[in-house]
Amino acid sequence: MSTPLTTPVIVSLDDLPGLQGRTLGPSDWRTISQEDIDVFADLTGDHNPIHVDEAFAASSVYGTRIAHGLLSLSIVVPHLAQLWKVTGAGVGINYGLNKVRFPAPTPAGARVRAGAEVLEVTELDGGWQVVLKVTYELEGGEKPVCVAEFVLRYYR
């Protein structure tokens, strides 16, 4: 694996509120291969032909096989690791999502990267909740392939 080009913003747990409103990234590009799509289809049981059937997808509105939208969401961790690192937390968890949209498809073999904006930082008992708007950009694309508000929690 190659060394990432992006250097993450490093912030301590107690300094999280100072990141509100800040943009992060973008991350390095990542190729979404047909093998990635096939493995995701097998793992989730979602074998919709738009994802896995080359002949079907060729005659679709997209003209090719496309990645599952939920596959985009599932690869957020390595992208976020390139965008930021929270130090001083005993544990960080994905608490959920507020809003998710897939404005454009991700064709098999395409490259995506992510950028983020820290929308909210709210104090919790023993830590902080962060709402992070993550936008996945498609290389050469006009629209993002995914825009999601992740709710993350960091505890002491």
Side-chain angles (χ1 to χ4, degrees):
M1 180 175 280
S2 63
T3 303
L5 301 174
T6 303
T7 302
V9 170
I10 299 173
V11 62
S12 72
L13 182 68
D14 293 325
D15 292 333
L16 276 173
L19 284 186
Q20 188 162 320
R22 178 141 179 209
T23 57
L24 307 168
S27 68
D28 294 342
W29 292 104
R30 176 179 174 161
T31 301
I32 306 299
S33 69
Q34 185 60 49
E35 180 182 4
D36 294 333
I37 295 167
D38 292 341
V39 167
F40 190 83
D42 289 342
L43 181 65
T44 63
D46 181 352
H47 291 95
N48 182 324
I50 196 64
H51 305 305
V52 297
D53 184 323
E54 186 174 9
F56 175 89
S59 64
S60 76
V61 65
Y62 303 117
T64 190
R65 291 174 287 187
I66 61 171
H68 304 73
L70 294 177
L71 173 57
S72 298
L73 289 175
S74 72
I75 63 169
V76 72
V77 172
H79 287 289
L80 288 184
Q82 291 184 354
L83 300 182
W84 77 337
K85 179 180 180 178
V86 178
T87 63
V91 66
I93 63 166
N94 174 358
Y95 190 67
L97 297 157
N98 284 341
K99 184 177 178 181
V100 179
R101 297 291 183 266
F102 305 105
T106 303
R111 294 187 344 146
V112 298
R113 66 181 178 184
E117 178 184 358
V118 182
L119 296 181
E120 296 175 24
V121 181
T122 308
E123 191 168 10
L124 300 169
D125 187 25
W128 297 96
Q129 177 171 290
V130 178
V131 177
L132 198 64
K133 180 181 176 183
V134 179
T135 302
Y136 289 85
E137 173 186 358
L138 178 69
E139 187 174 42
E142 293 179 21
K143 293 193 230 178
V145 296
C146 180
V147 181
E149 290 181 13
F150 287 86
V151 182
L152 308 171
R153 288 188 166 182
Y154 295 91
Y155 295 99
R156 290 181 180 21

